[in-house]
Every structure is written in C-alpha cells, then in structure tokens.
Amino acid sequence: MTEEKAILLFKCLADGSRLQILKSLMREDMYVERLAERLALTPATISFHLRKLEAAGAVTSRKEQYYTVYAVNKEVFRLNLLDVITQQSGDADEQQLREAQYRKKVLDTFFEYGRLKSIPAQRKKKRICLEKIAEDFIIGRPYDEKEVNEILLRYHEDYCTIRRDMIGEGIFKREGTVYTRLE
C-alpha cells in the first residue's frame, strides 16, 4: 500500500459513520437503502460515505439487478500496520538531502580550518560534530588515553569534555585507560 493510499484510508476510518457502515458490511454485503435503514441515516449520507470508503479501497461494489451492492475489501484490512509505517517514503531521497545539508551547515558553523570553534550545546549538533571528529579513529581499534587526547587536541583544547561526550554518545567505549571507537 502506498503512503498516499494509507493516508486516504486512515482519514476515511476516522469517521464514526463510516466505521458503522464497515461493521454492518462485515456481517453481510448490502445496498445503500438497506444500510440507511439499519444505521438510521439517509440514503444520501450513506452514498456519500460509501464513495469515500470506495475511493480509499475499503469497500468494493458490484451491480445486482437494480442495486449496487457494497462489500468490505478484507484484503485492505489484512495489511499489517507495521508494514505500512516502515515502507520507504516517497520523499526519502529528499529527506536524506535535507539531512546532509543540515549536517554541512552545522559543521560549517562549528568548525573553522578543521578545528572545533566551540562545543555545541544542542545535543543533535554536538552529535554531528563528535561524529566528524570520530572519523579520525578506526572502528574497533583500541587507543590508549594519551593517543586519544593528542588526536582530540587537534580539534579543541577541551579534549576531556569531547572524550567524555564521545563516551556518553556511545561513539567510544572506555575500559580503564583504553578507548575503542564503536561506530
């Protein structure tokens, strides 16, 4: 199910009358006038809601003599909600581009000539800066504290805070005086 179809279906299901129509159609297939009697609504109201439900794919219709008979499209309701929300979004590439632009803006703001001008207060911005600094470390390789301090000192004079923040963010793991980059 596409994202647009899912939105249309969820909007459609957010109406009490439409839910009552679907509940009635779960018992048996019906035509407009019968639904109107059962739910104490006018045929025009039932027709309006059925058009919305049909557009969302929640119901199907078929002709039987003089009547149009409606039925629940059970396949739509067999979809797993997790499948719908984990499906790749249509604008995923655009989101990645915006994220890359944001990262660049943060790095341009906080770095000058390869050094960190100041440690960001905002956690997301700090994380981006720490990830940039972590690129100088090999993942999985153990570093002694002196070596870590020397590398961090190239970026900022407060290497202790940066080292502590990298541990707190899960970028580094510390065992005694040995540090290992995790990600």
Side-chain angles (χ1 to χ4, degrees), residues 143-151 177 179:
Y143 292 88
D144 64 37
E145 191 168 309
K146 183 179 180 211
E147 193 176 6
V148 170
N149 292 344
E150 288 171 359
I151 293 171
T177 60
Y179 296 81

Side-chain angles (χ1 to χ4, degrees), residues 158-170:
D158 191 359
Y159 57 87
C160 293
T161 299
I162 293 173
R163 189 181 63 220
R164 187 174 45 249
D165 288 343
M166 291 179 111
I167 293 167
E169 286 291 330

